[in-house]
Amino acid sequence: MTVLAIKQLVVEVWGEEILHGVDLVILSGKVHALMGPNGSGKSTLSHLLMGREGYVVKSGEVTLDGVDLLAMDTSQRAQAGLFLAMQQPIEVPGVTLEALLSEVLADSEVATAETGDGEATQTLRQIMYAEAMKVGLDPSLLDRSLNTEFSGGEYKRSECVGMGVIKPRLGIFDEIDTGLDIDSLKLVATRLKEATSAWGMGVLAITHYSRLLDVLTPDLVYVLLDGRIVDCGGPELVSAVEHSGYSKYGVDVNR
Ligand code: ADP
Ligand code: MG
């Protein structure tokens, strides 16, 4: 089992403290939901975990199976099996998803899970095509420049294609449901859920909505508020949050 353990993490972004002591554990094969109001630091946590520039750890620790994740650069974290589907796409004109993924796969050290289903005999193109079909992405989009001409929903689905090819040990999905229509949302949630059993991927799903989690069914739900985890529980926490918002944590709904 792979364990990502975050302990008392304090993070500054460009000089401002955003996370004030976050404790969180992500396990392979399990689904973890991270909820919280706008500006509570959810995306900050996801960027920090991937090692984005400008995100500085003031104290606390993050370990991946006991190894210091914070000592690794972004590519080493990816090689160790960490994957981030960002909330906002990064546009890469002139580079297709296929070109990007073939670079990733050429790096043989990337820790992808063994599926044992003979995928190695398939070409990257074939795997991408199959992954695109699973999330309802028009395969002709695979030939376009990465994210530059994609709609929000297409971007989210192309991230899932990347995930299906790379087969990360732990995947962080930051508002993967934003911009997806209801049918696409079900396909994406189903694909993520499948990945937890197919190769034991651990999921951290950052979301505001139960409609993703109805299908993805989290094992653990965390609530992040103003840079701190203020609650943790089972799936029942999702409906409680959706029903009454964050007022029970002292958030002023009229702010
Ligand atoms: P969430 O994803 O929970 O909505 P974010 O992590 O995006 O929240 O933002 C948390 C806080 O950090 C917000 O107050 C936001 O304005 C601030 N913040 C995010 N990115 C930056 C940045 N690059 N520079 C300065 N402040 C930032
Ligand atoms: Mg965010």
Side-chain angles (χ1 to χ4, degrees):
M1 179 188 282
T2 297
V3 181
L4 182 82
I6 302 170
K7 287 187 194 142
Q8 280 301 301
L9 190 66
V10 176
V11 173
E12 268 185 19
V13 184
W14 305 118
E16 189 186 340
E17 191 175 302
I18 306 292
L19 302 180
H20 309 295
V22 169
D23 290 289
L24 201 127
V25 173
I26 307 172
L27 305 174
S28 55
K30 302 281 181 202
V31 176
H32 316 70
L34 181 62
M35 306 183 82
N38 296 328
S40 56
K42 304 181 298 297
S43 295
T44 299
L45 180 63
S46 71
H47 289 307
L48 184 279
L49 290 176
M50 243 16 241
R52 187 167 179 170
E53 191 198 352
Y55 291 68
V56 179
V57 174
K58 302 309 284 182
S59 59
E61 62 178 52
V62 183
T63 55
L64 185 62
D65 289 339
V67 177
D68 183 11
L69 187 84
L70 302 175
M72 303 178 195
D73 64 25
T74 298
S75 68
Q76 289 169 327
R77 295 179 198 202
Q79 284 170 6
L82 217 56
F83 176 93
L84 169 64
M86 286 189 288
Q87 185 174 353
Q88 306 288 349
I90 289 184
E91 299 186 351
V92 192
V95 176
T96 63
L97 182 61
E98 184 170 6
L100 178 77
L101 291 176
S102 81
E103 286 293 321
V104 173
L105 294 182
D107 193 340
S108 55
E109 288 174 62
V110 171
T112 58
E114 287 292 328
T115 56
D117 57 4
E119 276 191 2
T121 57
Q122 289 182 289
T123 64
L124 173 58
R125 187 83 194 164
Q126 288 168 326
I127 301 171
M128 286 177 69
Y129 188 93
E131 290 296 330
M133 298 310 280
K134 283 180 193 171
V135 291
L137 182 69
D138 179 349
S140 70
L141 295 181
L142 300 174
D143 294 319
R144 290 206 205 155
S145 278
L146 199 58
N147 301 330
T148 46
E149 300 129 349
F150 286 15
S151 73
E154 287 165 353
Y155 160 67
K156 300 290 178 175
R157 285 178 286 176
S158 81
E159 290 284 307
C160 289
V161 172
M163 174 212 77
V165 171
I166 294 171
K167 296 190 167 51
R169 290 155 74 189
L170 297 177
I172 304 161
F173 301 89
D174 194 354
E175 300 200 19
I176 193 84
D177 42 358
T178 307
L180 289 176
D181 59 59
I182 292 293
D183 296 328
S184 307
L185 180 65
K186 280 194 189 133
L187 292 175
V188 164
T190 303
R191 183 68 190 111
L192 297 190
K193 190 73 185 175
E194 260 175 28
T196 63
S197 48
W199 66 85
M201 182 176 77
V203 172
L204 181 66
I206 297 172
T207 183
H208 291 292
Y209 304 110
S210 62
R211 57 188 186 196
L212 175 80
L213 301 172
D214 284 346
V215 180
L216 193 49
T217 54
D219 299 285
L220 260 180
V221 180
Y222 294 99
V223 177
L224 185 71
L225 190 77
D226 193 19
R228 287 184 184 85
I229 299 292
V230 294
D231 208 353
C232 177
E236 69 285 348
L237 200 48
V238 179
S239 30
V241 164
E242 186 147 273
H243 186 252
S244 25
Y246 298 102
S247 54
K248 79 164 175 166
Y249 305 111
V251 174
D252 179 1
V253 289
N254 296 315
R255 70 185 173 152

